[in-house]
Amino acid sequence: MTLIEKDNKGVYTVHFDEIECNNIQYDSSLNNHSVYTALIEKNTVCDGYAMAFQLIMEELGIESYIVTGPNHAWNAVKYDGKLYWVDVTWADQDGYIWNKWFLCGTN
């Protein structure tokens, strides 16, 4: 398995469980807030997870956004003309990947 796969129809499968969830620890000190701390230091908070996800989506040419609310950040991804939530932070549950937070409806 590779981290990013593309099928013969041009559909990408991105294994965020391997890229982010299994490799990044949530920073309980709340000091790390960047793509660098997420992907290089492997220790960040929600905005670092969201920025890392956004960077990967941009590299793949997939329309996505960082969404922020009170004390949290996550992403929205456009798929088939609709926006879906992706919350890599909440999906990363200390070794368990909670897929409930991938491509959730925005309503």
Side-chain angles (χ1 to χ4, degrees), residues 8-60:
N8 59 358
K9 294 180 183 175
V11 176
Y12 287 99
T13 299
V14 182
H15 297 277
F16 286 100
D17 53 340
E18 294 298 325
I19 296 171
E20 292 196 44
C21 295
N22 287 339
N23 289 306
I24 300 172
Q25 295 296 312
Y26 187 81
D27 176 27
S28 58
S29 73
L30 307 178
N31 291 322
N32 297 316
H33 299 264
S34 71
V35 172
Y36 182 86
T37 60
L39 298 178
I40 303 302
E41 294 180 359
K42 302 187 183 312
N43 188 285
T44 196
V45 295
C46 57
D47 53 351
Y49 278 95
M51 287 185 271
F53 181 91
Q54 180 70 18
L55 177 68
I56 294 165
M57 293 295 96
E58 286 174 1
E59 288 298 313
L60 294 173

Side-chain angles (χ1 to χ4, degrees), residues 47-86:
D47 53 351
Y49 278 95
M51 287 185 271
F53 181 91
Q54 180 70 18
L55 177 68
I56 294 165
M57 293 295 96
E58 286 174 1
E59 288 298 313
L60 294 173
I62 297 171
E63 186 176 350
S64 63
Y65 309 92
I66 294 174
V67 182
T68 58
N71 302 314
H72 193 54
W74 62 97
N75 301 83
V77 175
K78 194 163 210 173
Y79 175 73
D80 200 23
K82 298 178 184 173
L83 283 176
Y84 294 89
W85 300 135
V86 175

